[in-house]
Amino acid sequence: MEFVYCCVDSENYCEDSCDYAVMIANNMNLPVKFLNVVEHSQKVKDVDLTGNIGLGAKDDVLENLASKEHEESKCSIKLGKEILEKLNARAKESCKKDVEIKQVHGEIVETIFNHQNDMAILVIGLKSNLNHVIGENVKDIVRAIHKPVLLVNSKFERPTKLMIAYNGSNESRKLIESTSQRQIFKGVKREIVNLNKYEANSYDVLSEAKMLFENEGIEVTTKHLSGEDEDTLLAYFNETNSDILGMGAFGHSRFKELFFGSFTAKILTNMNKPILLFR
Amino acid sequence: MYSNYKKEWFSNIRADVLSGLVVALALIPEAIAFSIIAGVDPKVGLYASFSIAVILAFIGGRPGMISAATGAMALVMVTLVKDHGLQYLLAATILTGIIQVILAYVGVAKLMSFVARAVVVGFVNALAILIFMAQLPELTDVTWHVYALTAVGLGIIYLFPYVPKIGKLLPSPLITIVVLTIFVYIVGWDVRNVGDMGQLPDTLPIFLWPDVPLNFETLAIIFPYSLALAVVGLLESFMTTTIVDELTDTKGDKKKEARGQGVANIATGCIGGMAGCAMIGQSIINVKSGGRGRLSTFVAGFFLLIMVVFLSDIISVIPMAALVAVMIMVSIGTFDWGSIKGLKTLPLSTNIVMLSTVAVTVYTHNLALGVLTGVLFAALFFANKISHFMYCNISFDEKTNTKTYQFVGQVFFNSADKFYETFDFKEVVENITIDVSKAHFWDVSAVYSLDKAVIKFRREGANVEVIGQNEATKTIIDRFGVHDKPEEIDKVMGGH
């Protein structure tokens, strides 16, 4: 059985993620599962620079770390449980299928990776994008799994217009295939846009994408945008009052990204509406 | 599988860099001290520590663990250096690496499951004792100045952290070294310093193929050393991995660590460094300081080299007494104090395993032999315990004049005699039934004792019938695989 997964913690738009997850679950006729990962932080806050070790050093260090993490874990388990209970109640009001909650220990990216077998789509809240910094975890999650991921970075609004950025790449074709065969959003206007310097190239790419949707009996409009950078895309997105941006993500290797930067990452930092990604 | 390589490097940057620096400062005295143990110039150990730490930061299997030139390895190479010189040590280092890579691929990491906890503890304690003993030459036949300096050094190491404000900001081993160096320099005491112990690095390391004839004789000289080095290195690294795993509540990859260490040793031999492995004391210091990621290991190795190459003039005037103080601290911190308290409460067999590991290691200066002894004792004790899991129901049926021996439990080399002695050959009985359907015969010794008993009964004129011999013997362990199903376990455990 498949689920719409919604991964939540305290800091992000958890109620809004919940609302999107429930809406998608109702569209796709699937149950929802809320997942809270209790993670030990790898980041050590209080550095000890004394540099000496005495009798029973190993036992002391172990005892010290264990008691510190004991408190931390207890705290985050309690916090996570509260959120899960709250969202469980909230989701049950409007979700047509079952709602499940699950709390697990582990490393967040790895945990999500291990859950992808029964995952239809993942909904996660982003930390506010005020600082224009996207958490490394989010990038790693999108890279690690081969399922659509909806990043929620704003208050829930029922979407009416979906804009899909399409460049003919494998990642973006997968997104189109999956969204045309199983509709994640219902009753929305869809527009496919292609960023390209040459309109002729754009035409081929766009008509291919249009075909994919028309085969499933879904109406779409297309648009060519001349230009290559993310600003053009964002400007058009805002101009047309679109609600959700769909795109293929991280088509390049990490190595290439190191030198050229990532289009996806730039979009992620500058968007203030939810983004549906597929890799 | 999902890989979190990036996380292993950059999820703890601040603490990793700081702890790496703390470790680098403590690595310098260690590398110098272990070079002296091995009988080579300090630069051999310093280059090795740099190269091993940096390479394992990239390809090791246990982020946050510190590897470098170690005492355990240095002790194994003493006679090689004495009899054949440095070039043969470098060749042996390369061969050690090759052996370790091969061992990694044939799955040596799995063999660690044979090393019982008590052996690990014994190993750690023996290591601590050896590190301490290695400091003794610096403390014998010397003037009172050296004792005074060492005592003051230890005092600073353990008391400086209690100084308000700055106590927690500066590593106390560093303070010890700085204070003692300045003191000796000003007062002008004539005590031995690092510069007297041999050459320090003056350049960055360069590629140098060992200058040895590439023939069978060379191989015959270095192979026994390389094999011992490979085994000792892997043992200490695996044990340190276990300790770091425990401290950080994460899981290291022993196979990857073994392979990485092999590669690191090959490379180290090629730049004029001695073989090394993971260090228990330094790894504890690293975790205590806040180091968790690969970055901490890298910083430790990298700064070690930078400091040594550019500050070699200063390092050469550090009095040996300061290093001895730091090494005594490492030895004290490595020692598993809990195991001494445990002597009273743990079973005697466990204590014997631990103490025998310590005794053999300290006597032979070879940790591999100590561990072998410990493993052997642990296995013998285990066999002895399991042999108690056998009993026999004896019944006599007067009507048919039949005596029945029904055995339940484990029959193997260690319980075979007990099995045989259960039979009463003196009694005159017409029929004997030996029911072994609920016993498990682990080896040929067991089968042999049954055959012996049957023949003995026949000679005494009894008719012998053996029931269930097929069930009992067909499960001789060599002939079948894994018992992970409940019904298989039941069959083997014969009613237990």
Side-chain angles (χ1 to χ4, degrees), chain A residues 40 42-45 47-56 58-59 62 65 107 109 113 136-137 140 254, chain B residues 2 6-7 11-12 14 22 157-158 161 169 171-173 246-247 249 288-290 292 329 332-333 337:
Chain A
H40 282 304
Q42 274 295 302
K43 198 170 264 164
V44 179
K45 285 172 206 97
V47 181
D48 181 344
L49 294 175
T50 50
N52 63 355
I53 43 176
L55 263 186
K58 195 202 88 185
D59 296 339
L62 182 60
L65 290 171
E107 200 272 331
V109 183
F113 180 86
E136 281 300 314
N137 271 341
D140 289 341
R254 281 174 197 269
Chain B
Y2 153 74
K6 193 173 70 184
K7 207 159 238 177
S11 62
N12 185 31
R14 179 175 166 267
V22 172
I157 284 174
Y158 286 116
L169 290 177
S172 60
E246 191 184 333
L247 291 178
D249 190 24
K288 184 191 171 211
S289 307
R292 295 289 182 280
M329 171 202 88
I332 292 173
W337 186 237

Side-chain angles (χ1 to χ4, degrees), chain B residues 213-388:
Chain B
L214 288 176
N215 55 25
F216 184 75
E217 270 168 60
T218 306
L219 185 69
I221 292 169
I222 64 175
F223 185 77
Y225 288 101
S226 294
L227 190 63
L229 286 170
V231 173
V232 169
L234 290 178
L235 276 171
E236 186 171 357
S237 290
F238 290 159
M239 290 178 193
T240 314
T241 302
T242 314
I243 290 173
V244 178
D245 281 357
E246 191 184 333
L247 291 178
T248 60
D249 190 24
T250 49
K251 190 105 186 70
D253 180 341
K254 290 200 177 85
K255 181 184 173 185
K256 196 172 165 191
E257 182 61 35
R259 192 184 55 198
Q261 193 184 117
V263 173
N265 277 331
I266 294 171
T268 301
C270 294
I271 60 160
M274 62 198 243
C277 63
M279 319 175 88
I280 293 174
Q282 295 290 344
S283 300
I284 294 175
I285 295 181
N286 191 37
V287 174
K288 184 191 171 211
S289 307
R292 295 289 182 280
R294 294 179 178 274
L295 189 61
S296 61
T297 314
F298 176 81
V299 169
F302 183 74
F303 271 92
L304 165 100
L305 185 76
I306 297 296
M307 285 189 280
V308 166
V309 170
F310 295 104
L311 303 176
S312 62
D313 291 342
I314 298 174
I315 288 181
S316 67
V317 298
I318 296 174
M320 283 307 291
L323 299 199
V324 171
V326 174
M327 294 306 294
I328 291 177
M329 171 202 88
V330 170
S331 144
I332 292 173
T334 303
F335 200 84
D336 189 333
W337 186 237
S339 68
I340 299 301
K341 292 186 242 168
L343 280 177
K344 275 184 224 152
T345 51
L346 290 171
L348 182 65
S349 60
T350 307
N351 290 333
I352 291 175
V353 170
M354 195 272 274
L355 293 173
S356 64
T357 307
V358 173
V360 172
T361 307
V362 171
Y363 183 71
T364 61
H365 284 200
N366 186 335
L367 285 154
L369 293 179
V371 169
L372 189 67
T373 310
V375 168
L376 209 64
F377 272 113
L380 292 178
F381 283 126
F382 176 74
N384 185 42
K385 281 175 208 159
I386 288 298
S387 68
H388 296 308

Side-chain angles (χ1 to χ4, degrees), chain A:
Chain A
M1 182 148 86
E2 278 189 308
F3 292 89
V4 172
Y5 268 82
C6 181
C7 194
V8 287
D9 66 22
S10 57
E11 296 176 69
N12 307 329
Y13 289 91
C14 66
E15 289 181 352
D16 306 290
S17 304
C18 162
D19 294 346
Y20 277 107
V22 170
M23 182 192 74
I24 291 169
N26 289 341
N27 287 343
M28 298 175 85
N29 204 23
L30 290 175
V32 182
K33 193 184 272 187
F34 290 101
L35 185 67
N36 176 250
V37 182
V38 180
E39 192 180 21
H40 282 304
S41 172
Q42 274 295 302
K43 198 170 264 164
V44 179
K45 285 172 206 97
D46 29 327
V47 181
D48 181 344
L49 294 175
T50 50
N52 63 355
I53 43 176
L55 263 186
K58 195 202 88 185
D59 296 339
D60 292 347
V61 174
L62 182 60
E63 177 52 39
N64 198 347
L65 290 171
S67 53
K68 210 180 282 172
E69 285 178 12
H70 175 77
E71 289 308 314
E72 283 171 9
S73 291
K74 271 205 153 154
C75 196
S76 40
I77 288 171
K78 185 165 167 269
L79 215 64
K81 264 214 179 97
E82 281 168 9
I83 294 167
L84 286 175
E85 292 299 339
K86 190 173 74 181
L87 297 185
N88 191 22
R90 186 185 177 95
K92 275 189 174 143
E93 283 172 15
S94 49
C95 192
K96 290 177 197 152
K97 291 270 192 158
D98 285 347
V99 179
E100 280 183 29
I101 56 175
K102 189 172 182 186
Q103 194 170 35
V104 287
H105 285 281
E107 200 272 331
I108 182 150
V109 183
E110 202 172 0
T111 307
I112 289 177
F113 180 86
N114 291 336
H115 278 82
Q116 66 171 330
N117 284 339
D118 64 350
M119 185 184 288
I121 174 172
L122 173 69
V123 179
I124 40 178
L126 280 182
K127 236 172 248 181
S128 75
N129 59 354
L130 284 176
N131 307 329
H132 290 265
V133 179
I134 297 299
E136 281 300 314
N137 271 341
V138 172
K139 282 190 206 167
D140 289 341
I141 290 169
V142 175
R143 278 181 179 285
I145 64 171
H146 294 275
K147 302 281 174 172
V149 180
L150 182 73
L151 303 177
V152 178
N153 53 4
S154 51
K155 284 261 157 253
F156 176 77
E157 279 174 55
R158 194 158 286 280
T160 55
K161 192 159 191 311
L162 172 63
M163 190 172 117
I164 300 169
Y166 185 66
N167 61 1
S169 71
N170 270 337
E171 287 78 20
S172 58
R173 186 174 301 117
K174 270 188 239 162
L175 178 79
I176 293 218
E177 280 165 12
S178 79
T179 49
S180 61
Q181 282 158 14
R182 293 176 75 181
Q183 294 187 38
I184 295 171
F185 299 103
K186 274 190 177 154
V188 290
K189 278 194 213 135
R190 291 180 172 79
E191 180 162 55
I192 305 175
V193 294
N194 178 246
L195 274 175
N196 209 317
K197 271 192 225 151
Y198 308 104
E199 192 160 1
N201 294 354
S202 221
Y203 180 78
D204 293 343
V205 173
L206 286 171
S207 44
E208 178 200 22
K210 197 170 179 178
M211 274 280 289
L212 286 170
F213 274 105
E214 277 172 356
N215 288 344
E216 305 293 327
I218 301 168
E219 216 175 291
V220 289
T221 55
T222 57
K223 173 77 182 173
H224 158 77
L225 291 177
S226 74
E228 275 192 331
D229 58 350
E230 62 284 353
D231 295 336
T232 322
L233 187 69
L234 287 172
Y236 184 70
F237 183 89
N238 293 331
E239 201 177 290
T240 52
N241 290 324
S242 301
D243 297 307
I244 293 199
L245 175 68
M247 58 188 279
F250 299 118
H252 299 298
S253 69
R254 281 174 197 269
F255 184 71
K256 235 175 168 178
E257 207 176 278
L258 202 61
F259 295 99
F260 302 110
S262 157
F263 185 84
T264 316
K266 285 178 197 153
I267 291 281
L268 291 185
T269 32
N270 293 309
M271 275 290 285
N272 40 27
K273 285 286 179 75
I275 308 158
L276 179 68
L277 293 172
F278 201 99
R279 179 154 195 271

Side-chain angles (χ1 to χ4, degrees), chain B residues 135-152 183-184 187-193 319-322 324:
Chain B
Q135 306 312 312
L136 294 180
E138 292 300 325
L139 296 173
T140 40
D141 297 331
V142 290
T143 55
W144 63 269
H145 304 91
V146 176
Y147 296 111
L149 289 172
T150 308
V152 171
F183 177 80
V184 169
V187 178
W189 281 357
D190 183 26
V191 290
R192 255 198 295 194
N193 60 31
M320 283 307 291
V324 171

Side-chain angles (χ1 to χ4, degrees), chain B residues 106-175:
Chain B
V106 299
V108 72
K110 286 185 199 130
L111 292 180
M112 269 306 282
S113 62
F114 285 103
V115 181
R117 169 87 193 152
V119 182
V120 175
V121 173
F123 180 100
V124 169
N125 288 343
L127 189 62
I129 294 170
L130 289 178
I131 293 175
F132 182 81
M133 282 168 56
Q135 306 312 312
L136 294 180
E138 292 300 325
L139 296 173
T140 40
D141 297 331
V142 290
T143 55
W144 63 269
H145 304 91
V146 176
Y147 296 111
L149 289 172
T150 308
V152 171
L154 277 170
I156 297 175
I157 284 174
Y158 286 116
L159 299 176
F160 182 76
Y162 295 107
V163 175
K165 284 186 185 167
I166 52 167
K168 299 259 181 233
L169 290 177
L170 295 167
S172 60
L174 173 69
I175 301 294

